[in-house]
């Protein structure tokens, strides 16, 4: 088993990490996250890039595809969330049958998904992430 990553403390404003290897769908999700209240969003397309992004800035929410061209969204989430505070996770995937090893409390949405439904769901997860994030005061 790989060691857990050590992310920087979460920002005072909601930061969302999107792990998606389709550029257009990544932008679609990023736009929904901003409209849902995220103050910053980083979209990455590989498992390694996701792990590096989480070290640079701890997300309050992770939105991940399951299958990536390089690596696995499920494996990236497992590394990022191992041993840390509960970060809400949303899997948006066209391959729900490949969702083995994901967190029990993860939310799963099958592609295609409407922008409004995605925005509302991300807004709920941002609120959960803010509630579970450690205080910086």
């Amino acid at each position: 088993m790989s060691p857990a990553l050590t992310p920087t403390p979460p920002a005072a404003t909601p930061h969302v990490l999107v792990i998606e290897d389709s550029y257009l769908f990544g932008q679609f999700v990023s736009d929904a996250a901003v409209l849902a209240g995220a103050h910053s969003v980083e979209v990455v397309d590989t498992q390694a890039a996701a792990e590096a992004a989480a070290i640079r800035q701890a997300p309050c929410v992770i939105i991940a595809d399951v299958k990536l061209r390089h690596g696995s969204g499920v494996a990236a989430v497992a590394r990022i969330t191992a041993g840390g505070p509960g970060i809400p996770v949303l899997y948006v995937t066209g391959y729900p049958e490949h969702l083995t090893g994901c967190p029990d409390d993860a939310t799963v949405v099958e592609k295609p998904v409407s922008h409004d439904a995605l925005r509302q769901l991300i807004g709920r997860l941002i609120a959960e992430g803010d509630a579970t994030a450690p205080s910086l005061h």
Side-chain angles (χ1 to χ4, degrees), residues 9-107:
T13 58
H15 174 68
V16 173
L17 176 59
V18 178
I19 308 168
E20 173 59 59
D21 60 359
S22 164
Y23 175 79
L24 289 177
F25 195 75
Q27 294 308 305
F28 177 83
V29 174
S30 176
D31 181 63
V34 169
L35 291 173
H39 288 221
S40 62
V41 178
E42 185 167 357
V43 181
V44 296
D45 62 356
T46 68
Q47 179 179 337
E51 293 169 7
I55 290 170
R56 279 192 306 277
Q57 183 172 5
C60 77
V61 172
I62 301 171
I63 303 168
D65 194 355
V66 173
K67 288 181 66 174
L68 304 172
R69 280 185 216 100
H70 300 287
S72 159
V74 174
V77 168
R79 288 277 318 271
I80 293 166
T81 60
I87 300 172
V89 177
L90 169 62
Y91 289 102
V92 182
T93 184
Y95 302 96
E97 66 276 8
H98 293 287
L99 268 173
T100 56
C102 70
D104 292 335
D105 57 350
T107 303

